């Protein structure tokens, strides 16, 4: 199908998908899960084409791994669909219903957003995942995946569409834009008449491109230059555990810690202890003057892992075994530094000081602000929302982990008895 | 100040404005109200320059009237500020605080959006109004008004800034972009690094221009092609009162009714009665086949006011004493027509049929959907929110009348005791 046809089609059926009841939607999600497993061989065979292409094009190992499917990964996809089926359906709830002085009853009802566009890279698991979250919330989803995964995506979408058709649901509740050219992507991002919101899922480059080109409203997700500030009153063991966890528990994720701020009054004693633990995981430290000296002065530290930081380090999301460190003289200086260099994702203070904890919570501008905990908890499951479509780093509509509610809008419903405005 | 300097300045002080307590903010709003009244002569004298320019440039009467200030209008501005002071401050409330299984306490706190850009036309009253709503919610506001009102806007902003300064508040909590060129406006709309959201206030052309040019997230407001569907079971007197009210109570507003849908089973009896009432206000009717014939056949109707409708009428927001009318065979046809031609603002059904009422409420896609009431109620005051910054016709972030809450975001605050992610 042509892009315009896909978009028109989506808009045409959006009303039908939006009014499906929860039982029907859950039943469909289970049927799709079954269909993915039943068609695993077909999906793997199509995935193989993408992998071969990738190898021929010298795709890096990490990307090939993300692209590769297996029976296990298809089982996980199916399990993801069943988990979404088990979540509460937010659609249809009326969050307040009040009687106005003129007798009008005004309520605010949760409704689907409508047509959601997801633009993503070569991760075929996003295909099933995005469908599940959008469908559960009564939305129609149009997927624009990367060219590297096109055969896998076509296979997965055709399996989902067949399952929808068999269940008597319009199969275009999910559609894939098969033309992966940049021109088509650019056109898609301007389809305001048909598409209500765009959600890019991928690296910083992809997100920037969507923000710059789209005229459709965009929800920005995912880049994280996260800091931990170790205050002078911090418990050292707690601080070291938190920094090591936030840096190394999983390095390639947006809520990993990339930068450390240390209070000047403890820098000499804290840095050598921290360094001993970081070097167990071969973490490179890029530090400013006092932090650099302190780390270097430690007994047994690996000096080859300690390097001077420059200005550029403060703004860098490494997604690697590297952490920057800066010495600050106060919680105030830490807050100013964070508000200047962060990406609005997750920030943490380790402290025993009540005033500093509250000040940090109040004044740091980010989606999630922690006291005495690892930044790695910013995640839909950890927050208790279940599956998430991404982590919003902007302030409009949704901020932080986006569960099902982030895929909804509201409308006012008004019950009258002939009221006119005086 | 240069545009970039204004934006940088705003970003620099945004933290300070965001943490002001409610008492301080209310006190400042009252001081600004006093200052506007005390400086009324100066503001009127500057407004006179704009009015003279307007007359020399043959500005239409309606626009000149919107541009003109008077002692009374300045009193109204001040009164508006005091009303905003009297509203509840949403900032700082924690909407939920839950303990996760690992002991983390996670709460969702209401925070300011940050820096808000308002782009508007030659209405100097918006200047004080936008400042009040943004300031009350702890936001910094950058105003970009039309060139026709530049002297008035400069005067009003300087009075506000002086009052802020005297109160010990950073005076750039409100800033005006004095360069009213299109190039500067276009640059402003791409200042993502400094500005969190843009809210255009004005006609459809202005809003379209902002949506197309901005890379900053935009909240669309204000265009309304509102419908009333008169079902076959409608009480005729009620339906006529509602249509006449929604069309004529105030014609230039976005929640006025522009288009009527009438069930075919009552079109013959209803249209002549309606036309008798519409013609009292000289409303022109543009109707399709059956509705046209029915209206024409009425005893005593003014046939000069009755014209055939064409396709273009269904999509037109007249903002005038004109209404289109179409005959439909069912509530379903009415819903399909509305979802095709409406602008997502306000839609109403007049009916005595329970199933049709509920179906209309469920399936019409708009910010406000009414049963048996005039569309003219879609308004912040009528909904009980107090002053509003506009009426959102998009689905993201805020939909319908936008009171103070629409100018806020949230952040997650997390209290830990050393938790790390396993």
């Amino acid at each position: 199908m042509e892009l315009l046809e896909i978009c028109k089609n989506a808009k045409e059926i959006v009303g039908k998908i939006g009014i499906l009841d929860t039982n029907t939607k859950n039943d469909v999600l289970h049927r799709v899960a079954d269909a993915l497993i039943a068609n695993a061989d077909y999906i793997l065979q199509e995935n193989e084409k993408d992998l071969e292409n990738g190898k021929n094009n010298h795709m890096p190992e990490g990307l090939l791994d993300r692209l590769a499917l297996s029976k296990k990964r298809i089982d996980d996809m199916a399990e993801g669909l069943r988990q979404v089926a088990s979540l509460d359906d937010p659609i249809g709830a009326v969050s307040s219903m009040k009687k106005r002085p003129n007798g009008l009853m005004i309520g605010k009802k949760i409704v689907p957003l409508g047509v959601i566009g997801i633009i993503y890279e070569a991760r075929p698991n996003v295909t099933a995942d995005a469908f599940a979250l959008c469908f559960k919330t009564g939305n129609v989803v149009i997927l624009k995946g990367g060219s590297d995964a096109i055969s896998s995506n076509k296979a997965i979408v055709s399996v989902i569409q067949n399952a929808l058709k068999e269940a008597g649901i319009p199969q275009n509740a999910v559609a894939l834009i098969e033309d992966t050219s940049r021109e088509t992507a650019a056109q898609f991002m301007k389809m305001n008449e048909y598409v209500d919101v765009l959600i890019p899922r991928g690296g910083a480059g992809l997100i920037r491109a969507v923000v710059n080109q789209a005229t459709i409203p965009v929800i920005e997700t995912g880049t994280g230059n996260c800091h931990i500030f170790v205050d002078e009153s911090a418990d050292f063991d707690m601080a070291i555990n938190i920094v090591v966890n936030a840096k190394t528990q999983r390095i390639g994720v947006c809520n990993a810690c990339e930068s450390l701020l240390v209070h000047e009054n403890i820098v000499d004693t804290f840095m050598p202890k921290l360094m001993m633990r970081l070097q167990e995981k071969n973490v490179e430290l890029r530090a400013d003057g006092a932090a650099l000296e302190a780390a270097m002065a430690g007994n047994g530290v690996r000096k080859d892992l300690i390097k001077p930081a420059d200005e550029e380090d403060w703004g860098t999301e490494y997604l690697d075994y590297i952490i920057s460190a800066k010495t600050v003289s106060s919680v105030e200086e830490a807050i100013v530094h964070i508000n200047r260099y962060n990406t609005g994702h997750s920030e943490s203070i380790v402290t025993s000081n009540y005033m500093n904890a509250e000040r940090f919570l109040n004044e740091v501008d980010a989606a999630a602000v922690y006291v005495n905990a690892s930044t790695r908890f910013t995640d839909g499951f950890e927050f208790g929302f279940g599956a998430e479509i991404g982590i919003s780093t902007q302030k409009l509509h949704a901020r932080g982990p986006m569960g099902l509610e982030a895929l909804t809008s509201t409308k006012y419903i008004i019950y009258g008895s002939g009221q006119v405005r005086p």
Side-chain angles (χ1 to χ4, degrees), chain A residues 66-87:
Chain A
R66 283 183 174 186
L67 178 56
L69 293 175
S70 63
K71 288 255 182 195
K72 168 79 175 64
R73 286 193 174 178
I74 291 173
D75 281 352
D76 288 348
M77 266 188 215
E79 182 49 31
L81 287 162
R82 296 189 205 282
Q83 278 182 13
V84 172
S86 73
L87 295 174

Side-chain angles (χ1 to χ4, degrees), chain A residues 20-37 77-89 127-139 141 159-160 163-164 167 169 173-174 404:
Chain A
L20 293 175
D21 60 52
T22 309
N23 287 342
T24 304
K25 292 188 286 190
N26 291 346
D27 177 55
V28 168
L29 289 170
H30 282 286
R31 280 169 181 247
V32 171
D34 294 342
L36 287 172
I37 290 172
M77 266 188 215
E79 182 49 31
L81 287 162
R82 296 189 205 282
Q83 278 182 13
V84 172
S86 73
L87 295 174
D88 282 343
D89 182 356
T127 307
D129 195 39
F131 159 73
L133 292 163
C134 292
F135 185 75
K136 176 78 183 217
T137 41
N139 294 292
V141 63
V159 169
I160 300 175
L164 288 169
I169 305 291
V174 58
L404 292 177

Side-chain angles (χ1 to χ4, degrees), chain A residues 300-339:
Chain A
V301 296
R302 277 184 50 193
K303 295 189 178 172
D304 61 307
L305 286 174
I306 305 174
K307 295 179 181 165
D310 59 27
E311 174 70 22
E312 207 184 308
D313 285 293
W314 309 141
T316 301
E317 184 184 9
Y318 302 114
L319 300 171
D320 201 348
Y321 288 96
I322 307 172
I323 191 168
S324 65
K326 184 177 164 62
T327 317
V328 295
S329 60
S330 63
V331 65
E332 185 170 13
E333 192 185 336
I335 292 168
V336 168
H337 178 91
I338 291 171
N339 285 345

Side-chain angles (χ1 to χ4, degrees), chain A residues 57-124:
Chain A
N57 296 330
H58 310 289
M59 187 185 264
E61 275 304 315
L63 292 184
L64 278 174
D65 178 62
R66 283 183 174 186
L67 178 56
L69 293 175
S70 63
K71 288 255 182 195
K72 168 79 175 64
R73 286 193 174 178
I74 291 173
D75 281 352
D76 288 348
M77 266 188 215
E79 182 49 31
L81 287 162
R82 296 189 205 282
Q83 278 182 13
V84 172
S86 73
L87 295 174
D88 282 343
D89 182 356
I91 297 300
V94 177
S95 62
S96 68
M97 176 69 83
K98 282 178 189 155
K99 196 166 190 173
R100 299 292 304 151
N102 59 6
L104 284 178
M105 292 286 299
I106 303 185
K108 194 175 184 179
K109 187 174 179 174
I110 298 180
V111 299
L113 278 171
V115 179
I116 298 178
I118 310 265
I119 299 180
Y120 59 112
E121 289 164 339
R123 305 185 68 162

Side-chain angles (χ1 to χ4, degrees), chain A residues 11-294:
Chain A
K11 181 83 179 174
E12 232 161 65
I13 60 164
V14 75
K16 284 183 190 140
I17 304 301
I19 57 171
L20 293 175
D21 60 52
T22 309
N23 287 342
T24 304
K25 292 188 286 190
N26 291 346
D27 177 55
V28 168
L29 289 170
H30 282 286
R31 280 169 181 247
V32 171
D34 294 342
L36 287 172
I37 290 172
N39 292 282
D41 289 337
Y42 164 60
I43 294 169
L44 290 176
Q45 163 201 318
E46 296 301 305
N47 181 242
E48 196 51 48
K49 294 182 189 167
D50 289 331
L51 289 171
E52 272 190 29
N53 262 332
K55 281 171 202 153
N56 293 340
N57 296 330
H58 310 289
M59 187 185 264
E61 275 304 315
L63 292 184
L64 278 174
D65 178 62
R66 283 183 174 186
L67 178 56
L69 293 175
S70 63
K71 288 255 182 195
K72 168 79 175 64
R73 286 193 174 178
I74 291 173
D75 281 352
D76 288 348
M77 266 188 215
E79 182 49 31
L81 287 162
R82 296 189 205 282
Q83 278 182 13
V84 172
S86 73
L87 295 174
D88 282 343
D89 182 356
I91 297 300
V94 177
S95 62
S96 68
M97 176 69 83
K98 282 178 189 155
K99 196 166 190 173
R100 299 292 304 151
N102 59 6
L104 284 178
M105 292 286 299
I106 303 185
K108 194 175 184 179
K109 187 174 179 174
I110 298 180
V111 299
L113 278 171
V115 179
I116 298 178
I118 310 265
I119 299 180
Y120 59 112
E121 289 164 339
R123 305 185 68 162
N125 64 313
V126 170
T127 307
D129 195 39
F131 159 73
L133 292 163
C134 292
F135 185 75
K136 176 78 183 217
T137 41
N139 294 292
V140 172
V141 63
I142 301 176
L143 301 166
K144 164 77 187 65
S147 57
D148 295 332
I150 187 66
S151 296
S152 315
N153 287 337
K154 276 160 85 166
I156 295 167
V157 169
S158 77
V159 169
I160 300 175
Q161 287 185 328
N162 284 334
L164 288 169
K165 206 170 165 185
E166 277 172 27
I169 305 291
Q171 65 173 21
N172 293 320
V174 58
L176 177 71
I177 299 173
E178 298 189 3
D179 172 356
T180 58
S181 69
R182 274 165 194 269
E183 295 69 37
T184 298
Q187 281 169 31
F188 178 46
M189 296 181 214
K190 296 186 196 299
M191 289 280 175
N192 297 53
E193 200 180 334
Y194 308 105
V195 183
D196 293 287
V197 57
L198 286 181
I199 306 178
R201 287 182 67 171
L206 173 79
I207 290 163
R208 208 174 312 117
V210 175
V211 168
N212 286 336
Q213 292 178 65
T215 51
I216 298 170
V218 175
I219 300 180
E220 275 188 68
T221 62
T223 53
N225 183 24
C226 305
H227 299 74
I228 294 173
F229 168 49
V230 181
D231 197 8
E232 60 177 325
S233 63
D235 176 295
F236 276 21
D237 287 340
M238 183 191 286
I240 289 167
N241 282 337
I242 287 174
V243 172
V244 172
N245 180 262
K247 177 70 257 176
T248 68
Q249 194 258 354
R250 199 168 157 204
I251 56 154
V253 291
C254 56
N255 58 17
C257 175
E258 304 291 2
S259 195
L260 177 70
L261 302 172
V262 184
H263 196 287
E264 61 183 12
N265 291 353
I266 57 161
V267 70
D268 289 342
T269 46
F270 181 74
M271 287 307 296
K273 289 187 175 150
L274 175 68
M275 195 58 213
M276 292 301 287
R277 285 283 300 282
L278 286 174
Q279 69 193 23
E280 289 171 13
K281 310 251 179 182
N282 291 310
V283 176
E284 179 182 313
L285 179 75
R286 299 198 187 163
D288 73 343
L292 184 78
E293 273 179 43

